Amino acid sequence: MMTLYKGKIFCLIAFFSLLPIRAEAQTPPAPVTAMQFYRRGRDFEAMNRISEANSNYNEAIRVCLDEVSRNVATRDTYTAMTMTLQRQRRYADVISWGERGLRSFPDEYRIMEMMGEAFFYLDDYERSLSFMQRYANAMPEGERVSVAYFFIGEIFRITERFLHADIAYTTAVRMDPTLSLWWYRLGSVREAAGDRRPAIEAYQQALRLNPNYREARSGLNRLQ
């Protein structure tokens, strides 16, 4: 009896071992989002791989347009669109899409910062300043708040409000002290305002970061 039982067990094991193994269902990979395409493009651009950057930027725009056409656009849709158009220097389009995005998501401050940059490059400094200040005030820990303060400094420098520019540039370099251009700009407005010693210090810092910065060297030579 035991021998017969063992034989049945063996047969069952042999039978099941011959059955095809069912492959586990594979979950399809999530589609690449517009924001991911944008970031890929930005990374390629940083490596000076412009063709690959533009390919990813175009894909980001395609995804955004598809989401808008299907009425499934989110705040990231409009943010990715404005960021991508900004990288492509399509400033009027940044403003047009930014306005659409803010109608749906009035608290999307990333779009505000993009519009501030776009208005700056279109030489509309007052509207640029308005958007940059709104972003900086609302997002004091925002990813691009140091950039916003730099643009605020640029606007005050161009419009010759040098003391205001000093404050904005100083805030920018406090948040990100690694950019020689920002230190040079700070030195230039301090020099224009007649603040010799602080201007020298800013020019010196620009040269520490970039010893070949000719404009900073010239500014330092003028003051020394």
Side-chain angles (χ1 to χ4, degrees), residues 142-186:
E143 181 181 358
R144 294 182 62 79
V145 68
S146 62
V147 176
Y149 276 110
F150 173 74
F151 274 98
I152 292 171
E154 290 285 87
I155 294 166
F156 286 138
R157 176 183 62 85
I158 292 168
T159 56
E160 298 186 350
R161 289 174 276 184
F162 299 123
L163 293 179
H164 289 76
D166 186 336
I167 295 170
Y169 286 137
T170 298
T171 305
V173 298
R174 184 182 300 122
M175 294 178 171
D176 185 353
T178 65
L179 299 171
S180 58
L181 170 63
W182 293 12
W183 285 101
Y184 168 72
R185 288 283 200 257
L186 177 57

Side-chain angles (χ1 to χ4, degrees), residues 101-121:
L102 290 177
R103 282 197 293 270
S104 298
F105 306 99
D107 62 341
E108 184 45 73
Y109 297 104
R110 294 173 297 177
I111 294 177
M112 291 183 190
E113 199 276 331
M114 287 295 103
M115 291 184 69
E117 291 190 31
F119 277 122
F120 178 86
Y121 289 118

